[in-house]
Structure formats: C-alpha cells, structure tokens
Amino acid sequence: MNYLAHLYLSQDNGLSMAGNLMADFLKHVELSELPPAVLNGIENHRATDKFTDHHPVVLGLKEDFHPDFRRFVPIMLDVTFDHMLAKSWNDYHDLELTEFTRHAYAQLAEAEAHMPEVMRKRLQGMAKRDWLARYIETDTVEKTLQAISDRIRFENSLDQSFSEVMRQYELIERSFKVFFPELVTHIQSLKLEQ
C-alpha cells in the first residue's frame, strides 16, 4: 500500500502517522533514537506490506499484467490502490478526504523532529500540493508512477506502466474492494499500536 492507505491504517496522532510512513525511509533513520509510538507505526507499516504482498487477490492480479510490467506490479498496485481508496473514501472513513488529509499533514508536521530530512521534505511537498487528496484523480496515479520510476536507480519501464494500469483498471478496482476490508480487519486484529 502507498501513503494514503498507510495513514488510514495508522492511529490518529503524528507519531503513529510518521512511523507508518517512515518505514519507506529507514535507510536514513537511527531506530534506537525513535519514540515507541513511531517504532510501533513502523511495525504497523511492515505488517500491512506483508499482508498485502501475500494476499491471494494481490498475488492473483500479478498474472493478469503484461510481462513487461510484472516486476513492477507491486508498486503499480500500491499506487493504484491509493487511488481506489481515495475514490471510495466515504465508504471507509467518516471524514471527507480533504479534511482527513489536512488533519494528517498537521499531525505529521508535529512529528517532523523525528523524521529524516528526505522524508520531511517529501511530506512538505505533498502537503503543499495536497498530493494525497489528489489520488482521487487517475492523473495522480500516472504522475506518481513516473516519479517513482525517476527515483529507481536502474533502467525501468515503470514510467510507461500507466497504460497497463488503465487496461486493468476494472479488475484492480474489483480486487481492491475484496482485499482492502480484509487488510483493515487484519491490521486492527494485530493491535500493534494499541
């Protein structure tokens, strides 16, 4: 899952939210210096990724993608699942999406002292453009895939993968509707942050 889903699955405080996103920035972090709430958020993120990567619906989706993109299907699904979550946000959360994202940015800003600089800068840029709420648009999926492609240090076709996402769009959406409620139930049952 990508940032929006990880924030959705975190607790309603900046340390938890920071931890749930920080798991993607661990090479820049000294874990022994982090508060327990951030460490618990990191564990929550890891549990989310593990459940996602091994879920039969997600594994089954990989076979439907063109072979040129199969290596990148997990990334493509992470990004597209955030779009699906944004698109159906009111089915899962009481707050409107833009209200949730504003609240999340404010909570994350309060935890900036615990973030590595690269994470802090990325989140500040996201907040400035309200990138998370813009996941409701398919254009954001395309731009995100291109941005990730640019950050990968080897030659890759991820920047060309949006057309494949759109080709598989209805299948991804149906799969998300089955998978995501199961993920939420699983993470709640683990009680890693309670």
Side-chain angles (χ1 to χ4, degrees), residues 42-68:
I42 291 169
E43 287 307 308
N44 205 56
H45 178 119
R46 288 174 171 162
T48 297
D49 285 356
K50 182 177 180 183
F51 183 85
T52 301
D53 292 344
H54 293 91
H55 195 281
V57 167
V58 175
L59 292 173
L61 273 172
K62 291 180 183 180
E63 299 307 313
D64 291 302
F65 281 75
H66 190 281
D68 289 350

Side-chain angles (χ1 to χ4, degrees), residues 142-159:
E142 182 174 24
K143 290 174 186 173
T144 301
L145 291 170
Q146 289 171 345
I148 295 170
S149 175
D150 291 343
R151 289 196 300 268
I152 294 175
R153 293 187 179 143
F154 56 86
E155 191 172 328
N156 64 84
S157 60
L158 192 58
D159 61 336

Side-chain angles (χ1 to χ4, degrees), residues 184-192:
V184 172
T185 299
H186 175 72
I187 292 302
Q188 289 173 345
S189 75
L190 295 179
K191 300 180 180 177
L192 294 171

